[in-house]
Structure formats: C-alpha cells, structure tokens
Amino acid sequence: MKQNIKLIDIFGTDLFSRAKASELNAKIIHNANEVSLDFYGINFMSRSFTDELFNIIVANGDKTFNFLNCNETTKAMLKSVSEGREHERKLGLPHPKMYKFENQKQLVDFLIAQ
Amino acid sequence: MENSRIHIPNEKENESIGSSFNHLVKVVEETERTLGKAVWDFSDVTFLHPFFLAPLAIYKCQSVKEIACENISLPMQSYLNSIYFDRMLHFENAAKETAQMVIEQYASHTHIPLCSFSMTDANKDAFSSIARDLIVRQAKVGAGISTPISYFISELIDNIYEHSESPNGFLFSQFLEQEGCIDLCIADSGITIFKSYEKAGLFQEEIGQDESESLRLANEGRSTKNRPGAENRGYGISTSKRMLVEGLGGSFFMLSGSAFHRYEKSDINYYADVGKFFHWNGTLILLRIPVSAPSNFNYIDYLE
C-alpha cells in the first residue's frame, strides 16, 4: 500500500523542531509499504526536524520512503543530515582561549582592552 | 533595610557586545548586593543598546529583588513601554492566529517587544515562526538572510526545549537600520549548560567545576542526548555560530550560569569563567545578524 503525506497540510510551511517531526510517526499508516513525503510549499526545514525525520525512517525500516518536491535548501539539509549520520563528526576546531576572571575589575579591564 | 541607588549607564548606538555585557555585570552585581529595594537610576540614559536592554529586562522580570526604575525621560519611558520592559509580552499556548494578531501590531516598528513564550511543542514552534516572519519583514531581508535567521531561531529555541528544562523562552529583536543589522536575543531561565551536562553525567572529567568548559563543549557540538550511530545532535549551536560569524560577518555571544563565550569576526573567540562574582540564571544568546549577506555566502556551505 502506498501513502502520500503532504507535509504542508500537517505542519504548515516551516518544519521547525524535533518534537514536530516525531508527530509524523503517528501519521504513517501501519500497513503502508511505500511512503512519499511531499515537501511542496515547505519553505524551511530545520536540522533538528530533519534528524528526527531520519529517526522515524529508521524506525520504519520495513517501508520505502520517497522525498517529493524538495527545494534546494531542503535537499541540501536532507543530504547534510543523512551524511552526518553516517560518519562520526570530525570537529577539528582550534583550541580556543579560556579565561578565568577573579573579580569584576579584571573582567572590566579585559573587556575595555578589546 | 537600606535602598540602593544603581546608576544605569548611557550607551552608544555602536556599543560592542563586550561593553554591553560589562554594563550588565555591573548593574546585576550591584542589584544582587542590595539588601533592600534596588533603585535603577535612568537619569543619564538617552539610549540603551539592545544587548544591554534585553538581558536587563529579563533579569528584572526574573529577579526576586524589589527593583524600581526612576528618573526615566519621557521618550525613554515611551520606548520602554513599547518593548514591554517591565512585564514582557507573554504567549501561553496561544493559538497561532491569536499570537500572530498580537505580534502583527509591531509590523510597522523596528523591534519585537520582549516576549516570553511557554515551552510546549506547538507554542514554541508557532511563536518561532511568527517571530521569524516579523523580523524578516521589519528588516526587509531576502532569502539570503531569512533562511539563516530561520536556522538560528529554530536551532536555538529547540536547544532550550531539549536541554534547559525552562518553562519559558524569551525573545527580543531590534532592527538597527543605520548599523545594517538585527540584534536578536534568545534566552531561557533553565538549568544552564553546565548543569545540563552534570545532570546527564557526561563529559564530567573534562568539565570539572569549570563552567566555561561546558560552554566550550556545547559550542563544539557535544550533545548530552547523542546516541552514537543513531542520531545527529549537537550541530545546532556550532553551525549557527559558524554561519553567523564566518559566513555573514555577524557576532555571537553566549552567557550561561557563570560562564560566557564571545565569537566575532575580528579574531575575538574565547570562553570565560566569571563564577567568583557573577551568575546568570539560565542561558542567554545574543546574535548580531547583518541584513545583507556577502556575495560569496551560501547557506548550504554551513550545514556540514
């Protein structure tokens, strides 16, 4: 059985949060074997929403998921999060400066000097 | 008990985040030391920078101290009233249409007043969406900036929801036309980043008692909720920060408990512990967002 879910009808134009994505799980029909998520009219999808969406897809491993009508930023977000889940994140950040101020004067002098 | 008179400094429009923070620390520290009523004296004030004003109002609304404001000029009083300095505009599970109607009254202004919003799923998302729309309209920015603004608001408010245990979030925004930027403040009154790691029992060897270390870990994307191989958490703050500072040339400031972090393009990138003399209840984030993006900026490049 195929199921088509128009995301705009459930969430409006913005897919903001992880909690919102988890609502999607309840909309998926138990005996559907192919689920198409239609992104038509979606302006913005957050990273948290996208990550939770992939959690739902993993939890519904017996189904095939299709993404329809994605705009460029939505496509990029899906790709980025999907790739991020495959690999451990390499931070590679320079060690930042760490300060400890003992009193307010030390802080004031520091901030003024900048 | 004696009352204390606390001088509220006049600020310049081009005040840096560091300087606003400096003023905030002084006023909060003096207020906390007061045993009786704290009287904030505004007699010198003709301008208050958004990055001083918003945290000051959040502090005042959350504080158990009795605080009175005196000697406020008429124009300043009118501005303070319009931004809800004394009481904040509260959204408690309001229907999206109702919240939109209230916020819509600010369409012709350059600011969104100090708002608190309850941290329920539907309410925070509806509020985020309404606030984003209004910020974008007030500053008349195109997709090049509106998409990053959506990203910042969604990730930072979702972080409050996921980690802070705060019943409410706070938001204030001011478009500064001359400076060509939007100053945005997002905050909570929750358990602080340090406490969030402590409660999760994670990274305790690295953090020890140093709250600035916990800020560093949060900014590097070490989530308290990551499940290896399954989820992809912890990107919210770090990607928002890179996109804002490295991509758009803006500024980022985070204050949580007794530590703060400052990141700006002009080689300012550090974490600091101020626990000996200052503590903030919750987490506060200040973003200075330029209203035009550099020609080489591409949102997609910063998604990682």
Side-chain angles (χ1 to χ4, degrees):
Chain A
M1 183 186 175
K2 290 184 180 181
Q3 184 186 12
N4 193 313
I5 299 176
K6 286 192 173 173
L7 296 171
I8 194 168
D9 292 344
I10 307 170
F11 302 114
T13 56
D14 295 313
L15 307 177
F16 264 145
S17 64
R18 191 173 289 277
K20 266 277 180 281
S22 59
E23 287 174 25
L24 188 61
N25 212 14
K27 308 280 180 193
I28 296 171
I29 299 169
H30 178 67
N31 59 352
N33 53 19
E34 187 174 339
V35 180
S36 295
L37 300 175
D38 190 342
F39 286 81
Y40 177 80
I42 297 297
N43 288 334
F44 176 77
M45 178 168 69
S46 77
R47 174 161 221 120
S48 315
F49 183 99
T50 314
D51 188 45
E52 195 59 32
L53 176 61
F54 279 110
N55 286 341
I56 291 166
I57 292 171
V58 169
N60 287 276
D62 58 330
K63 305 180 198 313
T64 304
F65 282 82
N66 305 312
F67 302 136
L68 309 177
N69 299 315
C70 297
N71 66 22
E72 284 308 306
T73 55
T74 305
K75 265 188 214 163
M77 185 63 87
L78 286 165
K79 182 171 179 282
S80 166
V81 174
S82 168
E83 287 175 358
R85 293 169 63 95
E86 298 293 317
H87 310 287
E88 196 176 331
R89 195 174 180 198
K90 300 261 188 303
L91 292 168
L93 298 167
H95 200 72
K97 289 175 193 146
M98 308 292 289
Y99 297 101
K100 199 174 190 80
F101 297 107
E102 297 295 324
N103 54 51
Q104 202 180 312
K105 188 180 178 309
Q106 272 186 6
L107 174 68
V108 171
D109 290 346
F110 175 80
L111 291 172
I112 287 172
Q114 285 188 322
Chain B
M1 280 184 286
E2 238 176 79
N3 295 342
S4 263
R5 184 161 287 275
I6 296 158
H7 174 251
I8 303 295
N10 191 41
E11 295 197 293
K12 294 185 235 75
E13 293 197 22
N14 59 356
E15 207 81 51
S16 71
I17 293 182
S19 168
S20 287
F21 178 57
N22 190 4
H23 294 152
L24 178 74
V25 170
K26 277 186 190 167
V27 173
V28 169
E29 199 269 337
E30 281 183 52
T31 307
E32 288 295 309
R33 268 196 285 117
T34 303
L35 296 175
K37 184 163 79 173
V39 178
W40 287 357
D41 186 344
F42 284 73
S43 51
D44 286 346
V45 176
T46 55
F47 180 81
L48 288 172
H49 195 279
F51 287 156
F52 174 54
L53 185 60
L56 195 66
I58 292 168
Y59 169 75
K60 185 173 182 295
C61 290
Q62 298 293 307
S63 177
V64 292
K65 298 270 177 190
E66 192 185 349
I67 300 168
C69 299
E70 291 185 358
N71 300 323
I72 306 174
S73 68
L74 277 177
M76 181 52 66
Q77 185 64 63
S78 162
Y79 178 66
L80 294 181
N81 291 345
S82 80
I83 64 156
Y84 281 72
F85 179 77
D86 264 327
R87 53 204 160 100
M88 288 201 204
L89 194 53
H90 185 64
F91 293 92
E92 178 76 41
N93 297 326
K96 189 171 179 183
E97 293 72 25
T98 315
Q100 193 142 25
M101 220 163 62
V102 175
I103 287 283
E104 193 59 34
Q105 297 169 36
Y106 293 86
S108 60
H109 292 64
T110 54
H111 66 271
I112 295 183
L114 278 150
C115 296
S116 68
F117 50 98
S118 62
M119 270 291 158
T120 57
D121 289 354
N123 195 55
K124 73 174 174 55
D125 284 1
F127 181 80
S128 301
S129 173
I130 293 165
R132 186 274 321 271
D133 287 349
L134 188 55
I135 290 169
V136 163
R137 275 192 291 148
Q138 285 175 339
K140 298 182 179 71
V141 295
I145 294 292
S146 71
T147 306
I149 290 175
S150 298
Y151 190 88
F152 304 148
I153 292 177
S154 65
E155 294 302 329
L156 298 178
I157 291 181
D158 216 33
N159 265 342
I160 295 175
Y161 178 77
E162 294 278 336
H163 303 287
S164 77
E165 300 179 14
S166 180
N168 295 307
F170 309 112
L171 183 142
F172 175 72
S173 158
Q174 175 73 60
F175 166 47
L176 299 167
E177 193 167 8
Q178 272 194 319
E179 287 78 2
C181 65
I182 298 156
D183 282 353
L184 175 64
C185 169
I186 294 173
D188 67 64
S189 55
I191 62 170
T192 77
I193 291 170
F194 177 76
K195 289 281 177 199
S196 175
Y197 280 113
E198 190 178 70
K199 211 169 168 187
L202 289 171
F203 308 113
Q204 292 304 288
E205 267 188 39
E206 275 178 82
I207 295 170
Q209 287 306 305
D210 188 346
E211 296 204 20
S212 59
E213 276 295 330
S214 66
L215 254 64
R216 183 177 68 80
L217 295 181
N219 276 275
E220 289 182 355
R222 316 273 188 96
S223 174
T224 57
K225 294 193 171 176
N226 232 359
R227 290 185 300 187
E231 297 190 18
N232 192 219
R233 298 188 182 214
Y235 284 76
I237 299 173
S238 59
T239 46
S240 294
K241 206 173 72 165
R242 277 191 57 235
M243 196 184 296
L244 174 66
V245 178
E246 295 167 26
L248 297 172
S251 305
F252 180 92
F253 178 87
M254 173 187 268
L255 170 65
S256 185
S258 296
F260 73 94
H261 169 48
R262 199 171 161 202
Y263 186 37
E264 294 176 26
K265 193 120 200 218
S266 50
D267 286 337
I268 294 176
N269 182 13
Y270 62 85
Y271 296 83
D273 191 300
V274 288
K276 287 269 168 73
F277 56 95
F278 185 77
H279 183 87
W280 183 263
N281 289 324
T283 300
L284 171 95
I285 293 176
L286 306 174
L287 310 175
R288 170 158 288 179
I289 308 165
V291 292
S292 56
S295 56
N296 60 352
F297 172 77
N298 187 352
Y299 165 76
I300 291 166
D301 294 344
Y302 292 88
L303 295 182
E304 286 192 38

